[in-house]
Every structure is written in C-alpha cells, then in structure tokens.
Amino acid sequence: MSWQSLIDEFKEQSTVIAQGGGQRSIDRQHKKGRMTARERISQVIDDDYWLEVGKWAGFGMYEEWGGSPSGSVICGVGKIQDRLVMIIANDATVKAGAFFPITAKKVLRAQRIAMHCRLPLLYLVDSAGVFLPLQDEIFPDEDDFGRIFRNNSVISAMGIPQLAAIMGNCVAGGGYLPVLCDKLIMTEGSGLYLAGPALVKSAIGQEYTSEELGGAEMHAQISGTIDYREPDDEAALKRVRELVRMFPETQRDLKFRRETWTEPTEPQEKVYEIVPTDPQTRYDVRDLINTVVDPDSFSEYKSEYGKTIVCGYARIGGFSVGIVANQRTAVMTKKEGMQFGGVIYHDSAEKEARFIMDCNQSWTPIIFLQDVMGFMVGKDSEEAGIIRAGAKVVNAISNSVVPKITVITGGSYGAGNYAMCGKAFDPRFIFAWPNARYAVMGGKQAAQTILDINIAAMKRAGQEPDAEELEALRQKVTEAYDTSTDIRYAGGRLWVDGIIDPSDTRKVLIQSLESVTLYAEPEPFRTGVYQV
C-alpha cells in the first residue's frame, strides 16, 4: 500500500472518530444548549494549539454496546492564555459520557503525563458516570475509576493547579473529581449529585427534581460546593480562560536547553520518499533523522561502532535532544562482518546503554525512533553476551530520569520494543506512524508457530488435517495475528498516545518537548547493579 492511500485511510477513520457518537448525538447535545467536547476545547484553547492524547482509544472495542469512539473522553495538551494545560473533556455524545474501562485508563494516562510534566489540568465534566453493564471492569482495581480521584488528591498535594467546569451531568462517584479540584465552575441546567432523582426515590423514597437535588443554584447558594455559577457553556469557558490566566506562567526548567532555530529547507513530506511502507525495504535512518532535526544539528555518537543503532545529539525546535534510532539498512563491521538492519546486536546494545547514561549526565531528553525486529539470536550472539548487553539497555532506560519520547516508525517486535523504550518503560509520550506494527514476533513467524501448535493439538486428538483444512487454518491464524498487530489495535488499547502522519513528526516532537521540559526530576541518575 502506498503512503498516500494509507494516510487517506487513517485520516478518514480519524474524522469518523472525531464525530463521537455521530451527528444525531451531536444534534441532541446542541438542543440542550450545550457544546460537544471538541467544540468546548476549540473554544477554550489559544489558536488551535492542540496535542491530542489517545484519540484512537476504544477503536474496534465494545462494539456489542455500540462502541466507544475515542474512549468517550477527549484528552490532550492545549495552550490557554499562553499556558500549557492538560485538558480532559467527557464526550457526552457517546453514551452520555459514560466511563468504559478504556475511558478510565485514558484519563489516568492523561493525569500521569500531567504529573510527570507538571502540567496544570482542566476537566470539562459532562458524564453520566460508570457504564453499568461493564462496571466490574471499571470499578475496583488500582488502574480503574477510583484511581482517578486518588490522582486528583495527589496532584493537588504536588501543587499542580486543577480546574473543573461541570457542563452537564456529574453523577455518583464521578462527583468527587471536580470537587477535588482547586476551582469549580458549574453551568445552569447541569447536575452534580451522588445519586440522581430516580435512585434517590428508589433508595429512600424522596422525590426531587434534578435542579432541587443538585443544580447549579443549589450548589452555589446552599451547599456551597461550587465556586462559580455560569449561565451556559460559553460563559463557563470564558471564566475558565480568566482563571487559567492566574496560573503560573509556563516555564521550561533551566536544566533543559533551547536555542533559536530555523526550519528545515526540505518539506516534511520528503519522509515519504525516505521511509517505505514495505517493512522489508531498507533505508538509511540518518536520512529520516535529518528530516526531523534542525538543519545541520545532528552529531552522531560512536558512528563506527554498534552500527545497527544510530545514536547522536541534535536540536529539534531549538531543544537539545539525544536520538536513538534503529538503522534499517545492512551494515558492515570489522569484527562481525555484515549485520542486518533493524536487529539489535550486542555492540549496538552496549552503545545505546552508554549513550542513554551520557544523556542523563547532561540532562538531555531522549527521542527514540523505533523500527526494530528484535535482538540478534544464535550461538555467536549468545557467546557475545547479547542477554547481558540487552540487560544494560533495560537498566539504563528504566532508571533514566530525563524525559523520553518514542515514535514507532515501523516494526516494534519482541524485546526490541523494550530496548527502544516501549510503553512499559514510561516514555512521556509515545506515538506511531500508520504503518507501525506491534507484536512479540513478525507475522509470518508467529502465524507458523501458532499453526504448528494447533496442528499438534489436532493430531493429539486423533485428527489428521488435510491440505484444505490446513490452508483454512493458516488463513484464520494469519488474519487474527494481522489484526492484533495493526497499530490501530494498539491505539485502541492506549499502547500508543497517538497515530500521527509521518510528515507531522517534527511538529509533534516540538510540541511534546515543550511539555516534557517543564520539570526536571530532582533524583540523580542511578542504575543499580550492572552486568559487565
């Protein structure tokens, strides 16, 4: 598939996702005199500065319940009054903004990014609470609904500003979220209560209207729960902008460096000529790096050693960064001879670990450009200490205190995912291109392995599959594996924060760097026991 057709397909699906529950649901929201979540965000931010997180959440999931586009909540970093703010907005066009399991995980991801980067948070609340048919998957665990309120409390104790605006429903346990914030706005016609009118009548026999039970007037004049009562969404969002103006100005931590810069002369679309959609086609990753970094700023580290991983220092949007990238063309070495592109060998692993340590010494954020097939296997590789070298990389990445940002530009297979800072290793942001693939191993190898296991099980049961059965089984296994390795599958489960157009990579990295350089961890870099 060509880049153009692949990007067109993803853009079309992305447009559908942005419609939330669809036009009829949008019309219902407007009839109530309320904006949609995306309209609210557009109204409150400056000049459309927007870095969305988790847009593909819920993709292909909960279809028996009508789906949950974008996880029924919109999250991302916006600029309000020239201040960077993490925004979390319930999408009431999707099941009245109810929380699915993925909704809770997405909100937690947004809160985690805000905590790491010390970003103020804005919650635009419009939710009916937990989606009851799936309550057992949302309610009790440490990464479920309750963790959001725990984070509210911890974030407050960290001194990070939190602001909430109730612009619709705010029911049951969800009521704690806005009340745990520093400032609370509520619009007329909204409802804030632990139990709605129907449940109150059922539980204790009292009959009250929604307004009497938990309307804006009651909370402003009687309970004293809210700080500001506003007539509608527009007034509430204007109030939000006024209050955000009182937040501290966005300041980069002095440990991180940013200089003046110029944009590359080549158009960003040149990346389509450099990187093929076919994962078997070779390319020199240095050409990709030069489309992303500021002109003439890339300085390669140990260029003649460990060549299947390219490391170096550069500037992106004036920010000083370290870059770790998988080389996707075959290389020649004096000691081992030819090494395959996309494979991590013991020498490249050693180099990467050393480079990560150096970036931590100089407080340099690290960008990982991930297109990896995994670690080299075989007798020679084992004797060279590939496991020991890989352990060094894992140790260095795990204990790294500088911000890490990962972009998956192709394959992300096996332990190579870990060595190139996959989701498990706490990148502040992790993005992927539409051609990216996530899996323990490549599709052909995995499909054959699964097929062999199924055939062996059939034979143990006394069945001897014929050629036609084998081909049908092979096709079924391959299709299932291809579906689960598609990056949209990963995006649906929040294994990546976003699926981005390759030509937007530089822009997305600059926006990410603006957030991740606001705060420097006070703890020194330590690695613990290191295998030598």
Side-chain angles (χ1 to χ4, degrees):
M1 184 182 286
S2 69
W3 270 119
Q4 190 58 57
S5 57
L6 185 62
I7 290 166
D8 286 346
E9 179 183 331
F10 272 72
K11 282 184 176 178
E12 184 178 338
Q13 290 177 331
S14 180
T15 300
V16 172
I17 290 170
Q19 291 293 305
Q23 192 58 50
R24 288 179 63 184
S25 297
I26 292 171
D27 291 343
R28 280 198 298 271
Q29 186 78 348
H30 288 164
K31 283 179 181 178
K32 295 175 184 176
R34 298 172 185 166
M35 301 178 189
T36 66
R38 291 190 182 276
E39 288 169 346
R40 288 165 176 166
I41 291 169
S42 179
Q43 179 103 349
V44 80
I45 61 176
D46 302 340
D47 302 323
D48 296 325
Y49 181 104
W50 179 242
L51 178 62
E52 188 158 352
V53 173
K55 183 173 187 177
W56 291 77
F59 183 82
M61 301 169 68
Y62 315 118
E63 291 180 351
E64 66 275 31
W65 301 107
S68 177
S70 227
S72 76
V73 64
I74 316 302
C75 302
V77 181
K79 194 170 277 188
I80 304 175
Q81 301 284 29
D82 210 32
R83 290 155 175 81
L84 292 173
V85 178
M86 175 61 78
I87 301 172
I88 298 172
N90 301 114
D91 186 353
T93 70
V94 182
K95 295 287 189 297
F99 272 69
F100 287 76
I102 200 67
T103 315
K105 288 174 174 54
K106 183 171 174 179
V107 172
L108 291 172
R109 173 63 177 160
Q111 288 182 322
R112 195 173 303 118
I113 291 170
M115 284 193 280
H116 283 311
C117 300
R118 298 306 195 268
L119 289 168
L121 288 110
L122 168 63
Y123 304 91
L124 302 179
V125 183
D126 192 353
S127 171
V130 165
F131 186 62
L132 290 177
L134 297 175
Q135 64 84 26
D136 60 315
E137 300 178 43
I138 309 169
F139 170 66
D141 212 345
E142 64 183 353
D143 61 347
D144 285 341
F145 198 56
R147 188 75 171 187
I148 296 171
F149 315 134
R150 176 265 184 196
N151 283 354
N152 283 135
S153 304
V154 171
I155 289 167
S156 181
M158 293 169 72
I160 301 172
Q162 294 180 98
L163 173 60
I166 300 172
M167 311 171 83
N169 289 316
C170 186
V171 183
Y176 289 113
L177 184 149
V179 178
L180 285 164
C181 291
D182 306 339
K183 298 177 180 67
L184 177 51
I185 301 164
M186 188 173 178
T187 60
E188 298 285 356
S190 296
L192 168 63
Y193 28 64
L194 288 180
L199 183 55
V200 168
K201 182 179 178 181
S202 172
I204 60 175
Q206 292 182 350
E207 291 191 49
Y208 293 103
T209 66
S210 175
E211 189 63 34
E212 291 170 331
L213 197 61
E217 182 177 336
M218 190 282 288
H219 282 303
Q221 298 181 2
I222 300 174
S223 77
T225 301
I226 66 172
D227 303 310
Y228 301 92
R229 175 162 64 114
E230 301 295 345
D232 53 29
D233 283 11
E234 189 173 353
L237 295 172
K238 183 179 178 182
R239 178 75 70 178
V240 166
R241 288 183 58 81
E242 290 174 359
L243 294 173
V244 170
R245 193 177 185 86
M246 298 166 59
F247 287 177
E249 291 186 1
T250 297
Q251 296 286 343
R252 175 175 44 83
D253 192 285
L254 294 178
K255 284 190 172 73
F256 302 115
R257 297 166 299 287
R258 189 177 196 184
E259 303 174 13
T260 57
W261 76 95
T262 56
E263 290 292 331
T265 54
E266 294 279 4
Q268 289 296 294
E269 287 74 15
K270 187 177 180 182
V271 69
Y272 306 135
E273 302 171 20
I274 295 168
V275 183
T277 57
D278 180 2
Q280 304 305 317
T281 306
R282 299 174 178 178
Y283 65 92
D284 191 328
V285 77
R286 296 182 189 88
D287 295 332
L288 167 59
I289 291 170
N290 284 323
T291 69
V292 171
V293 302
D294 298 348
D296 302 318
S297 69
F298 183 62
S299 174
E300 192 168 349
Y301 174 85
K302 290 185 185 287
S303 61
E304 298 177 80
Y305 182 76
K307 295 180 180 180
T308 63
I309 289 183
V310 172
C311 300
Y313 302 99
R315 290 184 302 279
I316 299 178
F319 288 103
S320 295
V321 298
I323 294 176
V324 178
N326 298 110
Q327 177 58 281
R328 285 310 308 257
T329 189
V331 299
M332 291 298 296
T333 66
K334 280 198 171 183
K335 189 174 181 182
E336 283 86 11
M338 190 179 79
Q339 294 181 339
F340 297 105
V343 179
I344 301 175
Y345 291 77
H346 67 92
D347 54 352
S348 49
E350 295 267 6
K351 178 173 82 171
E352 180 189 351
R354 177 65 181 81
F355 181 72
I356 291 169
M357 294 172 72
D358 195 56
C359 287
N360 276 272
Q361 282 292 98
S362 58
W363 281 99
T364 305
I366 308 171
I367 310 294
F368 291 86
L369 299 178
Q370 188 183 125
D371 189 358
V372 59
M373 300 303 294
F375 282 86
M376 189 59 188
V377 297
K379 186 172 183 294
D380 291 343
S381 188
E382 299 294 353
E383 288 181 350
I386 187 66
I387 297 177
R388 185 177 69 247
K392 290 181 182 179
V393 173
V394 167
N395 197 330
I397 293 177
S398 301
N399 290 293
S400 180
V401 294
V402 297
K404 305 182 292 284
I405 302 169
T406 300
V407 182
I408 305 169
T409 63
S412 179
Y413 295 110
N417 169 279
Y418 306 153
M420 294 298 294
C421 197
K423 183 71 181 295
F425 290 83
D426 295 328
R428 299 285 173 87
F429 291 98
I430 179 168
F431 302 101
W433 289 1
N435 62 317
R437 292 271 164 178
Y438 248 15
V440 171
M441 64 178 77
K444 289 181 180 178
Q445 305 95 310
Q448 187 59 53
T449 302
I450 297 168
L451 186 65
D452 290 344
I453 292 170
N454 287 338
I455 291 170
M458 292 170 74
K459 288 181 177 179
R460 285 195 301 271
Q463 296 175 265
E464 191 66 40
D466 59 27
E468 192 174 317
E469 286 178 312
L470 282 176
E471 184 53 36
L473 183 57
R474 183 189 304 277
Q475 187 172 342
K476 181 180 178 182
V477 167
T478 301
E479 287 176 356
Y481 201 80
D482 285 346
T483 297
S484 66
T485 60
D486 190 300
I487 197 60
R488 285 165 286 202
Y489 188 92
R493 287 150 183 80
L494 291 173
W495 300 342
V496 294
D497 293 318
I499 303 173
I500 63 173
D501 187 322
S503 65
D504 287 335
T505 303
R506 174 177 164 85
K507 172 188 170 184
V508 167
L509 285 175
I510 292 173
Q511 287 183 316
S512 301
L513 286 163
E514 288 178 336
S515 291
V516 303
T517 55
L518 300 183
Y519 175 77
E521 296 288 345
E523 290 297 314
F525 175 58
R526 294 183 289 254
T527 61
V529 176
Y530 227 56
Q531 288 285 349
V532 296

